[in-house]
Amino acid sequence: MIAENGVATAPAADALPLFYSKPEAMNPDRHGSLGLAARADFSFTRAAHALPVVTGEMPAAMRSYPIVFVGPANQPVVITGLRQGENLFVDKDGQWAKPHYIPAYARRYPFILADDGGQGSGRLALCVDRASDRVVEQAAAHGDKVAPFFAGTEATEATKQALAFCNQYQMDFAATRTMVDKIAAHGLFVERRSTVTLENGEVLNLTDFKVIDEDAFNKLGDEAFLDLRKSGALTLVYCHLASTNSWSSVIHQAALHKVG
């Protein structure tokens, strides 16, 4: 997504994983003294005006954010800001604006499943981003409650929960990818421009994103519609179409930031 005045650009699909700069495969020898500071802090998303989203969370996400598609892979993302480097839903203290849904991509951080063998081995391991300020030495927590990663050589319950969350996200991402490819195969994605008028009268012309062509979708034959239904893609389609009402949510957050 690019604003014609140069203030908003969507992340390219090949720029992922967003946020991660020093992921390391977790093991007790390397991370036995470390843990995760138990505080809700989404400061790391402050410069993200779009975040990846998977189909399973779209019914919740569509109430707060427009869902659009970016890049050659038609990656579905939620729009969290209207300008480059500005997430309108995170305040100066790193708190996510209530009652808005927090995307799973942000809640997963600083954990991620990544290739363990290198060069596309296909073996995925639970990794943690050592660059995250929530990954701390247990002995130097300075008041933060810390959930240890390991108890001796055994993964703690916190680490097991992180692995379960990342596994589920990976499966949801793969399922979403299949649905997106199915939608693309039926020729339903179209480039779109959107004009957004802020409450102060400022006008932003947003480009370089795709939407699902509702007219083309409604004209699908029975066989094509059934094909989408069998793939599970209808949830994605309907949530995306309904999310167009949520541009007003982003505009409202922009107004709150101006007041703040």
Side-chain angles (χ1 to χ4, degrees), residues 149-238:
F149 292 147
F150 294 93
T153 59
E154 297 295 320
T156 62
E157 186 60 29
T159 300
K160 292 176 182 178
Q161 289 178 4
L163 177 59
F165 190 98
C166 289
N167 272 327
Q168 185 61 54
Y169 187 89
Q170 195 75 12
M171 289 188 291
D172 291 344
F173 181 87
T176 299
R177 181 78 265 140
T178 299
M179 296 174 197
V180 166
D181 290 345
K182 182 70 70 173
I183 293 167
H186 287 288
L188 296 180
F189 287 118
V190 293
E191 296 280 349
R192 184 56 50 88
R193 302 165 62 91
S194 183
T195 299
V196 175
T197 303
L198 304 183
E199 293 186 7
N200 64 0
E202 182 181 1
V203 177
L204 299 178
N205 295 302
L206 308 176
T207 64
D208 284 3
F209 65 92
K210 297 175 188 175
V211 300
I212 293 172
D213 187 332
E214 186 171 6
D215 288 339
F217 171 68
N218 289 332
K219 293 175 182 176
L220 285 177
D222 292 346
E223 184 177 348
F225 184 84
L226 182 60
D227 186 43
L228 288 177
R229 183 176 71 80
K230 287 181 176 179
S231 74
L234 290 183
T235 296
L236 189 159
V237 172
Y238 290 132

Side-chain angles (χ1 to χ4, degrees), residues 19 35 54 62 112 139 153 242 246:
F19 305 139
V54 294
M62 71 179 188
I112 191 172
T153 59
S246 293

Side-chain angles (χ1 to χ4, degrees), residues 5-260:
N5 58 6
V7 295
T9 306
D14 59 4
L16 301 179
L18 182 66
F19 305 139
Y20 298 86
S21 61
K22 194 179 178 183
E24 298 176 350
M26 296 183 68
N27 67 69
D29 291 335
R30 195 174 194 181
H31 305 103
S33 65
L34 301 178
L36 189 70
R39 48 185 162 85
D41 185 353
F42 294 96
S43 298
F44 63 92
T45 72
R46 192 174 286 129
H49 57 273
L51 288 172
V53 65
V54 294
T55 301
E57 61 183 329
M58 287 184 185
M62 71 179 188
R63 298 184 177 95
S64 295
Y65 320 100
I67 299 169
V68 301
F69 304 86
V70 299
N74 300 313
Q75 169 68 49
V77 298
V78 290
I79 300 301
T80 54
L82 298 173
R83 292 179 172 81
Q84 179 75 17
E86 181 181 57
N87 182 347
L88 295 169
F89 292 83
V90 174
D91 67 19
K92 58 182 176 57
D93 297 318
Q95 300 300 299
W96 204 279
K98 296 180 179 180
H100 297 289
Y101 175 78
I102 304 174
Y105 191 95
R107 288 184 283 117
R108 179 183 61 169
Y109 186 81
F111 301 101
I112 191 172
L113 289 184
D115 190 349
D116 186 30
Q119 299 181 352
S121 70
R123 297 194 304 271
L124 298 179
L126 181 65
C127 299
V128 66
D129 188 0
R130 287 288 276 111
S132 169
D133 61 8
R134 289 184 62 203
V135 177
V136 297
E137 291 281 349
Q138 297 177 55
H142 300 301
D144 278 326
K145 183 178 179 180
V146 176
F149 292 147
F150 294 93
T153 59
E154 297 295 320
T156 62
E157 186 60 29
T159 300
K160 292 176 182 178
Q161 289 178 4
L163 177 59
F165 190 98
C166 289
N167 272 327
Q168 185 61 54
Y169 187 89
Q170 195 75 12
M171 289 188 291
D172 291 344
F173 181 87
T176 299
R177 181 78 265 140
T178 299
M179 296 174 197
V180 166
D181 290 345
K182 182 70 70 173
I183 293 167
H186 287 288
L188 296 180
F189 287 118
V190 293
E191 296 280 349
R192 184 56 50 88
R193 302 165 62 91
S194 183
T195 299
V196 175
T197 303
L198 304 183
E199 293 186 7
N200 64 0
E202 182 181 1
V203 177
L204 299 178
N205 295 302
L206 308 176
T207 64
D208 284 3
F209 65 92
K210 297 175 188 175
V211 300
I212 293 172
D213 187 332
E214 186 171 6
D215 288 339
F217 171 68
N218 289 332
K219 293 175 182 176
L220 285 177
D222 292 346
E223 184 177 348
F225 184 84
L226 182 60
D227 186 43
L228 288 177
R229 183 176 71 80
K230 287 181 176 179
S231 74
L234 290 183
T235 296
L236 189 159
V237 172
Y238 290 132
C239 286
H240 159 67
L241 294 176
S243 77
T244 59
N245 295 316
S246 293
W247 283 106
S248 60
S249 174
V250 183
I251 293 170
H252 178 67
Q253 286 300 122
L256 293 180
H257 272 238
K258 288 292 185 182
V259 172

